[in-house]
Amino acid sequence: MAADYYQKNYFDYLAFVFAAEEINNSSELLPNITLGFHLYDSYFHPFFVFGNTISIFTGMDTWVPNYRCKTSGMLAAIIEGLQPEESSQMSNIFKMYHYPQISFISQSLLMSDTAKFPFFYRTVPSELHLCAGIIRLLKHFGWTWVGIIASDDESSLRAIQILREGIEKNGGCIAFIETVSHTQSNIIPTEKISKIVRNICMPSNKVIILYSNAENMFYLPSPVLFPGKVWITKTELHLRYKVEGKFDIKNNTLSFAIVKRKIPSFIKFIQEVNFSLLPSDYDAEQWWRGLCDSQCPKYIKRFCSSDEKLDILPCNIDNIGMNNNVYNAVYALAHALHDMFISGSRNNTTWSREMLKLSDYLPWKLHYYLKNVHFKNNLDEEIFFNENRDLNTGYNIINLVYLPSGVLHREIVGSYNPYASQGQNFIINEKAIVWESTFTQTPPQAKCSESCPPGFRKLTRESEPICCFDCIPCPQGEISNQSDMDNCVKCREDHWPNHKRDTCIPKLIIFLSYEEVLGMALTISSIFFSLINAIILGIFIHYRDTPIVRANNRGISYILLISLMICFLCSLMFIGRPEPVTCILRHTTFGMTFSISLSSILAKTITVVMAFHATKPGSKLRKWMGSRISYTIILSCSLFQFILCLIWLFSAPPFPYHNKQSEIGAILIECNEGSMIAFYCVLGFLGFLASISFITAFLSRNLPDSFNEAKYITFSMLVFCSVWITFIPTYLSTRGKYMVAVEIFAIQASSAGLLGCIFMSKCCIILLRPDMNSRKSVTKNN
């Protein structure tokens, strides 16, 4: 068995030794078999990595490729703690000989490819889950403007791509991406560092992802020195455990770290271990003496002699919790070996000499058992490799905080475990996070543009990232009830946005009501004119036997006055909430009463003309004189209009209609004409009667005074036609309840014109000039 270890990470070394000793002392796991191991130091240099790999296979310090010179102690597998790139390179050598390779360090994304790395296993999760955890953290806090500083190795570049895709999928953007050399031997140029610092210090760049191993951050500016920034790191930073004196260190780092577990009895093993087990070098001695430091926590500090306390270095316990990865790697291999030996024995309780010949099984036969290994370790954890040959472990999210005393405190503020149940796979405790005091808002915000409040939508700026936008108000009829909406949502037809345009409210129902000023004024005018009409009718009835009433065709005058009074009163049906009955009655009543009025006027005009011509000697019109022709005209015209109205009602009758488009933010309840053709036919017939009456009266305006009622009819029809000609463009250009008001006004104005022009002069004579109301005055010639 072989493994590599970091120069100062002696906890991993001791965890390896501790696990091997536990297994060798176990009577249940690999009984009668002793696990041996060789450990090599890579010195972070490819030359030594390759040399140590060859030494593992040859069993000697001399490099002899394709030869194994050591006969005792068969090689079962390689357990390594190399950096991802070195681990990937060595995997090509290991797979040539089909040796299992178990890593307790490498989280490389690329090594999840089991086709390319068929013999690679690891007791740490893949960085694919780390990227997913970082994206979930960004999404939780709403950080959408993020910078990335990463190593330039292939795995990190692939991780950058995954982070970019995930951030953009959640509506975020990348502020900048800077890559640095992933090898310590390459010093980062000053210009590169200056550019990175400029990007970090830009006011809009609040959150920065530092995607690099702690060992590769040596030449980068320390995150704890930048105020007003949040750093998200893929691993815990190697910071001093305690800072003496005045310090200006910012608490602004959230680090992802593989879940740590304390191995039972491991701390006691460290404190009691014989120093001779450690490598015989200066670094090991300094680390060992560092455990005597007074700054060491009590649980790890060991009892030291006075000689050991001389010239000691600060206590270094950064990696003490990571040793369970090494521990699990050793135990996974041991259980796989155990299962392999068990399967080769006919009697599972007997370990024969033949079945202990490792050369019959290793190295290729071990893979099947390693892939299917499944056991509970001493921490009561289920240990098995998934389909990518990773352990199903997750990450803790750690807030690195320097306390007022200067001591570094690592507070676990959350976790991400993709294998946990829904709702438990990502946990964050915001209250436990200690934010830097310079933040004006906690949690701090990281956005290219300020959020668009409800009532506004985002408008992406041209040639800029999608999360750099302006906020514009929602258009008419649309709302946004959440922040940062890309598009506003249309309200339902019967709803309308409120003033802030963040919610839809029911539209205001409007119609011409009796309660409002306009409706009240039109109601009063309608009643007023109808009363005037009734008074005039009463006067004509009271003075029905006087010459002036008799001379003006008394019966037709009564019909005209009654129809005009109904015209005034029918305008009341246009006021109030439209109902099915009122919609049907308002237009048909209006059409019928006006046709009776106009046909009565036409009958009057024709009677005047006939009366003038009948007085001439030998005129044949004498036999047509009388009331019969007048009533025939009125009846026939009214009957024609009645037939038009019946056709209208049976084909497409008027009905109440909720007009949601006419007025902004309101629903206009109006009467839809049903058939516009029928509506205009009714109006057209009224126009026809008015035109005939006007032309006839105009042509007979110069008749003798005794019969010259045609002058008044001419003037009345001129007023009538003027009102309705003006009505048509006004009606078509108005909207809402004012459209109805225009129609009512036209009805009342035209009716009042007829009433005033035809009857007011006669009433004045009847009431004020009774001397003119005589047969002599009426029959007086010019």
Side-chain angles (χ1 to χ4, degrees), residues 68-82:
R68 179 163 183 80
C69 304
K70 189 175 181 180
T71 56
S72 63
M74 299 301 297
L75 178 63
I78 296 92
I79 298 176
E80 49 90 356
L82 298 172

Side-chain angles (χ1 to χ4, degrees), residues 345-510:
S345 173
R346 296 179 181 178
N347 182 359
N348 291 343
T349 60
T350 305
W351 294 72
S352 62
R353 184 179 298 275
E354 288 76 14
M355 65 173 287
L356 297 181
K357 291 181 180 179
L358 298 182
S359 58
D360 293 338
Y361 299 96
L362 297 176
W364 51 89
K365 291 184 179 180
L366 183 59
H367 288 290
Y368 172 80
Y369 301 97
L370 198 54
K371 284 190 291 185
N372 296 286
V373 71
H374 196 146
F375 64 96
K376 267 193 176 183
N377 64 8
N378 293 338
L379 302 172
D380 202 33
E381 294 176 317
E382 295 281 344
I383 302 298
F384 61 93
F385 294 105
N386 60 24
E387 65 276 4
N388 293 324
R389 299 174 191 172
D390 310 324
L391 288 190
N392 291 354
T393 57
Y395 294 88
N396 284 330
I397 302 172
I398 298 173
N399 185 205
L400 302 179
V401 180
Y402 274 98
L403 302 177
S405 61
V407 175
L408 177 63
H409 176 63
R410 291 176 167 87
E411 178 70 27
I412 297 176
V413 295
S415 63
Y416 177 73
N417 188 347
Y419 305 103
S421 59
Q422 189 69 27
Q424 297 296 315
N425 53 1
F426 178 79
I427 299 172
I428 192 74
N429 181 8
E430 291 188 27
K431 294 181 179 178
I433 301 175
V434 179
W435 300 106
E436 181 190 330
S437 59
T438 56
F439 288 127
T440 56
Q441 183 181 357
T442 55
Q445 296 298 304
K447 297 182 178 181
C448 178
S449 301
E450 290 298 321
S451 294
C452 292
F456 291 79
R457 72 173 181 89
K458 297 192 294 186
L459 179 65
T460 305
R461 297 170 187 164
E462 191 175 352
S463 70
E464 289 192 31
I466 191 171
C467 50
C468 297
F469 50 81
D470 296 315
C471 297
I472 61 172
C474 288
Q476 265 187 0
E478 298 183 7
I479 65 158
S480 62
N481 54 8
Q482 297 177 3
S483 299
D484 291 335
M485 288 189 67
D486 294 319
N487 295 295
C488 297
V489 181
K490 280 190 175 182
C491 291
R492 289 180 352 203
E493 265 197 315
D494 56 346
H495 282 66
W496 189 253
N498 62 350
H499 177 68
K500 294 182 179 179
R501 299 188 182 183
D502 58 2
T503 187
C504 292
I505 57 176
K507 284 184 176 180
L508 183 67
I509 304 294
I510 60 171

Side-chain angles (χ1 to χ4, degrees), residues 482-601:
Q482 297 177 3
S483 299
D484 291 335
M485 288 189 67
D486 294 319
N487 295 295
C488 297
V489 181
K490 280 190 175 182
C491 291
R492 289 180 352 203
E493 265 197 315
D494 56 346
H495 282 66
W496 189 253
N498 62 350
H499 177 68
K500 294 182 179 179
R501 299 188 182 183
D502 58 2
T503 187
C504 292
I505 57 176
K507 284 184 176 180
L508 183 67
I509 304 294
I510 60 171
F511 54 87
L512 186 60
S513 67
Y514 292 102
E515 290 78 14
E516 60 183 298
V517 176
L518 182 58
M520 197 177 296
L522 292 172
T523 302
I524 292 171
S525 64
S526 177
I527 295 172
F528 173 74
F529 284 120
S530 61
L531 288 175
I532 296 295
N533 196 111
I535 292 171
I536 294 174
L537 178 61
I539 292 171
F540 266 62
I541 292 173
H542 185 269
Y543 294 96
R544 62 184 176 277
D545 295 325
T546 58
I548 198 166
V549 175
R550 291 167 62 89
N552 283 279
N553 205 329
R554 179 173 53 188
I556 297 177
S557 295
Y558 291 159
I559 294 173
L560 179 58
L561 285 169
I562 292 170
S563 63
L564 287 176
M565 185 165 61
I566 296 173
C567 285
F568 285 123
L569 293 175
C570 82
S571 64
L572 295 175
M573 286 190 291
F574 289 79
I575 306 173
R577 188 185 183 100
E579 301 292 344
V581 175
T582 56
C583 284
I584 291 173
L585 289 178
R586 64 165 59 170
H587 287 104
T588 53
T589 306
F590 154 72
M592 282 302 303
T593 53
F594 259 92
S595 65
I596 294 171
S597 300
L598 292 173
S599 59
S600 299
I601 294 171

